[in-house]
Amino acid sequence: MAIIITDECINCGACEPECPNTAIYEGADDWRYKDGTSLKGKIVLPSGKEVDADETQEPISDEIYYIAPDKCTECMGFHEVPQCAEVCPVDCCVPDENIVETEEELLAKQKFMHPDG
């Protein structure tokens, strides 16, 4: 499952540089699928959703840091545990029970975003 940042977030920013997928953004910041990945142009995500990796996406939160769930792999393929949760001083990076993914799905997503890594 993807990780979410709860509203207990204190906006310290410790999580953002730790994400190997560049899936964490400051509140109100636009995001792109291409940020920190090998994705570019028109793509079809492993979920089947068609997007333009270069196009800006609306912020998921205007107030606190947020994680783009389509880019979150819980650090699978990079680390043993989600790095955002490891560094969060208030433990607000938690599994999103609304987005359940298997280890295989998370690893496939990681390989899709980083085919050479």
Side-chain angles (χ1 to χ4, degrees):
M1 59 186 67
I3 303 294
I4 60 169
I5 298 174
T6 66
D7 58 6
E8 285 91 33
C9 177
I10 58 172
N11 284 319
C12 72
C15 57
E16 184 180 23
E18 300 302 319
C19 182
N21 297 311
T22 313
I24 301 175
Y25 296 86
E26 188 171 357
D29 282 357
D30 291 337
W31 64 281
R32 292 176 182 82
Y33 284 92
K34 74 174 187 174
D35 297 341
T37 72
S38 297
L39 304 176
K40 56 186 161 197
K42 302 274 186 200
I43 57 170
V44 177
L45 301 174
S47 66
K49 180 178 176 182
E50 294 182 31
V51 299
D52 184 336
D54 304 316
E55 193 173 279
T56 58
Q57 305 294 316
E58 292 289 318
I60 294 170
S61 172
D62 288 334
E63 318 226 336
I64 58 173
Y65 279 81
Y66 65 88
I67 299 174
D70 285 341
K71 293 177 69 177
C72 180
T73 63
E74 293 183 38
C75 294
M76 291 261 182
F78 296 104
H79 304 286
E80 295 292 316
V81 295
Q83 297 302 287
C84 56
E86 284 291 296
V87 301
C88 182
V90 293
D91 296 326
C92 67
C93 297
V94 299
D96 183 348
E97 307 217 350
N98 294 317
I99 303 176
V100 178
E101 296 168 297
T102 66
E103 183 175 334
E104 292 78 23
E105 289 171 317
L106 293 169
L107 287 170
K109 191 190 305 186
Q110 187 269 346
K111 188 70 172 165
F112 174 75
M113 292 187 290
H114 307 280
D116 299 325

